[in-house]
Amino acid sequence: VVVDDTPGVVLISAFDLYRRYVAKVSLERLMTDGRIHPARIEEVVDKVKREVDDLIVELGEKAAFEASVAGLPSELTQLLGRLKFRTLESQNLLKHSIDVSKLSASLASEIGADVSVCKRAGLLAFLGVAVDHEVEGQHFQVSADICKKFGLSKRLTEVIEMQSTEEFGENLEALCVFIASKILMSRPGIGKNNMETFIK
């Protein structure tokens, strides 16, 4: 929390968007309430964290619904919801995952690939980013490992794994997901104010 000479302004600085959001909501509530002391701060932060965790589950369920992907384990929908608080090239990863899912399904239907596999792989390919503070490794490989852990099909996990190698062979589904992601990442305006570039 940064309080400087600017009147009426308090800055919250954090690279972790989840923590920044919790801090923002907590600070707003504390200022509205007016009772600001250590015990009250802890109480409000704990309550906001619980609410945000519920929000994450809700966001994951909405994302799966929007992408028309049914039957995901609750743990995966929770990880999906966490992508709301992660970015790639300054783009919200939850929105990007939904868009990749939809676009790769459209591409698949045009060339005769498996639409269902493309939808699921597009939606779940970036799950590894949601846990990259906890698990080391290339995020597509981590995503594939998570999907294996929850018993998703071998075909689906292969499509996700292939995103890191970019060697697709005859796998049209992996190619559809790759192309969809590249198209979406090259839209005008993507990459402006890129947080990763600032950090480097």
Side-chain angles (χ1 to χ4, degrees):
V1 178
V2 181
V3 181
D4 58 18
D5 298 334
T6 314
V9 175
V10 175
L11 294 174
I12 297 169
S13 176
F15 291 123
D16 186 332
L17 297 180
Y18 170 85
R19 293 177 67 191
R20 193 164 69 197
Y21 183 77
V22 168
K24 173 186 173 283
V25 174
S26 300
L27 192 58
E28 286 170 351
R29 290 201 187 156
L30 286 164
M31 289 171 64
T32 303
D33 183 39
R35 293 178 292 160
I36 303 175
H37 53 83
R40 179 75 181 137
I41 293 170
E42 284 183 28
E43 178 189 325
V44 169
V45 169
D46 286 343
K47 186 177 182 196
V48 170
K49 276 184 182 174
R50 285 192 301 274
E51 289 172 10
V52 173
D53 289 342
D54 291 341
L55 173 68
I56 284 171
V57 171
E58 189 181 316
L59 288 168
E61 289 168 355
K62 280 183 181 174
F65 178 77
E66 192 177 332
S68 303
V69 173
L72 291 178
S74 59
E75 294 90 341
L76 286 185
T77 54
Q78 183 179 16
L79 282 176
L80 199 54
R82 284 171 69 176
L83 292 179
K84 174 75 174 174
F85 300 100
R86 302 308 306 268
T87 59
L88 183 69
E89 301 280 335
S90 77
Q91 185 167 236
N92 180 286
L93 260 181
L94 182 59
K95 173 93 174 83
H96 180 68
S97 296
I98 295 166
D99 290 346
V100 170
S101 175
K102 289 177 177 179
L103 184 55
S104 60
S106 295
L107 292 170
S109 68
E110 292 293 325
I111 64 170
D114 189 325
V115 173
S116 173
V117 169
C118 286
K119 266 188 203 175
R120 286 176 166 258
L123 187 65
L124 303 175
F126 294 93
L127 282 182
V129 180
V131 296
D132 68 356
H133 294 309
E134 303 147 35
V135 180
E136 285 189 27
Q138 209 277 343
H139 72 261
F140 289 123
Q141 186 60 54
V142 173
S143 301
D145 292 343
I146 291 168
C147 291
K148 282 178 195 168
K149 180 181 172 188
F150 290 101
L152 298 186
S153 74
K154 187 172 191 285
R155 191 166 177 206
L156 173 74
T157 56
E158 283 174 354
V159 168
I160 294 172
E161 281 176 333
M162 286 179 174
Q163 301 307 304
S164 58
T165 62
E166 297 183 15
E167 292 173 13
F168 308 113
E170 299 294 312
N171 194 319
L172 291 177
E173 292 77 18
L175 188 60
C176 286
V177 172
F178 178 77
I179 290 171
S181 185
K182 289 296 180 194
I183 288 171
L184 291 164
M185 292 303 280
S186 62
R187 288 179 295 181
I190 298 297
K192 286 186 178 171
N193 302 325
N194 185 341
M195 179 64 76
E196 282 129 31
T197 305
F198 290 156
I199 292 168
K200 283 178 187 169

